[in-house]
Amino acid sequence: MSVKPQNFEEKLVWYTIILTYPIYFLGAQLVWIPALGFLLAGCVFKRWWFQTKDTPESEKISIPLSVWIWIVGMLFIELTIFMSHMDFDLGIPKFIFTTVNNWARSWALMALFPLAGCLKIRPQVIYRAACILCLQSLILATLCYFMYLLRIPSFSYVSPLVAFRGSASFYTVNLFDVGGDFGEARQFRLRLFANFANNLGIIGNIYFFLSSQEANKKWRWIGTIGGAAMVVGSGSRSTIVCLVAVPIASWLLTNFGWYIQLIVGLLSVVIGMIAPQLIELMQTAWDRVISGVRRSSEVVRKRLAEVTMNRWMEAPIWGHGVVEEKGPKYTEHMPIGTHNHWPDLFYLHGVVGFLAFTFAIVWGFIELTLKARKSAIAKTALNIYLVLLIATAAVDIQLASYLYWQGLILTGIAFKEDVPIFADRQTRTLSFKS
């Protein structure tokens, strides 16, 4: 099967992935990727609107329930932004500014790109394009590491496209960092085409699992090695954990037969009996082995979460809508509403936003888990969901959606795929009766 793009939508996806670095060097990612999301969504609605009963079945657009749930969920997030701006008298101009510069470039993409999966975009095109990007990243990562060893500084500049608004960090070109958090020892961390090293870790995982589905063995090896290099080079603890934890969790979820249920049931009883001692042991290990790598960063993150949850009570239903740009000295003046996904979700969008996002991601997770037993595409999408869920422990994942958009398209393809979830059970039942 040819993996070259065969239609307009595939060409958009293919060339955007393989031209990621030129787009990044122009500082145009936060401009082009959201525009791409709305453009592909426009293609979906155009074809859906104009299709008739005479339209060939293969050309028809059908939007799965899970995608509708994401669309409604993200509209609820927008509703919280409107209500919070009214509650705090921020005004309509500020609401429009927040919608365009925040919601449309982050939350909206989490619905628009799965919606784009309803178009005729083959996953094989995404897999091969991902491998090509991983090869480019592997070459650049090697170059960056030699620059670090030779003490050659990374070039850095802010694109003039920062005029399109948003934080300057989204328009800053800088392949790697050599620094530490809050006075800690200097260390090498890759950024490549991401705005932060942590986000590169998330994207590296997404590309790792996309590349692992490539049919060509040579490209598959190149892609997975390149994806893993991005993750390890980022130095992000939670995303390095993903490389090991996600395949294990995915296997357990998709092979949950009676024997696994028995083992998990017995383990649950044992773990329940020794839970207090186990929690204390894990906390000690985390503090000594992992948190100790960037201890002050962990402290600031915990303080931010503490302050954020306290401030959430000022607006529990709709949230505050916007980040408080300068926090107290207690948080090293870091902005309130950043660095912790779940506390930030409560602070910015209240209980309504929390329920909207949680319902959408849990619904999608359950559907992909059921489908993953029969579908390789759904299993890859499930891996992407697991990466995102683990990443919520470290970052606000919606802010990086313009970077892992290709993974969101694959989740949409998986939602669209017709998989007979309960076929085996029916077959066994019929066989038993006969």
Short mmCIF file of all heavy atoms in Angstrom, two decimals, residues 146 180 197:
data_model
loop_
_atom_site.label_atom_id
_atom_site.label_comp_id
_atom_site.label_asym_id
_atom_site.label_seq_id
_atom_site.Cartn_x
_atom_site.Cartn_y
_atom_site.Cartn_z
N PHE A 146 26.14 17.20 20.74
CA PHE A 146 27.55 17.53 20.48
C PHE A 146 27.81 19.01 20.76
O PHE A 146 28.87 19.38 21.26
CB PHE A 146 27.92 17.17 19.04
CG PHE A 146 28.29 15.72 18.88
CD1 PHE A 146 27.48 14.84 18.18
CD2 PHE A 146 29.46 15.22 19.46
CE1 PHE A 146 27.82 13.49 18.05
CE2 PHE A 146 29.81 13.87 19.33
CZ PHE A 146 28.98 13.01 18.63
N GLY A 180 19.09 24.97 35.03
CA GLY A 180 18.43 24.26 36.11
C GLY A 180 17.28 25.09 36.64
O GLY A 180 17.13 26.26 36.28
N ALA A 197 10.70 21.65 27.51
CA ALA A 197 11.23 20.28 27.47
C ALA A 197 10.16 19.26 27.87
O ALA A 197 10.08 18.17 27.27
CB ALA A 197 12.45 20.18 28.39
#
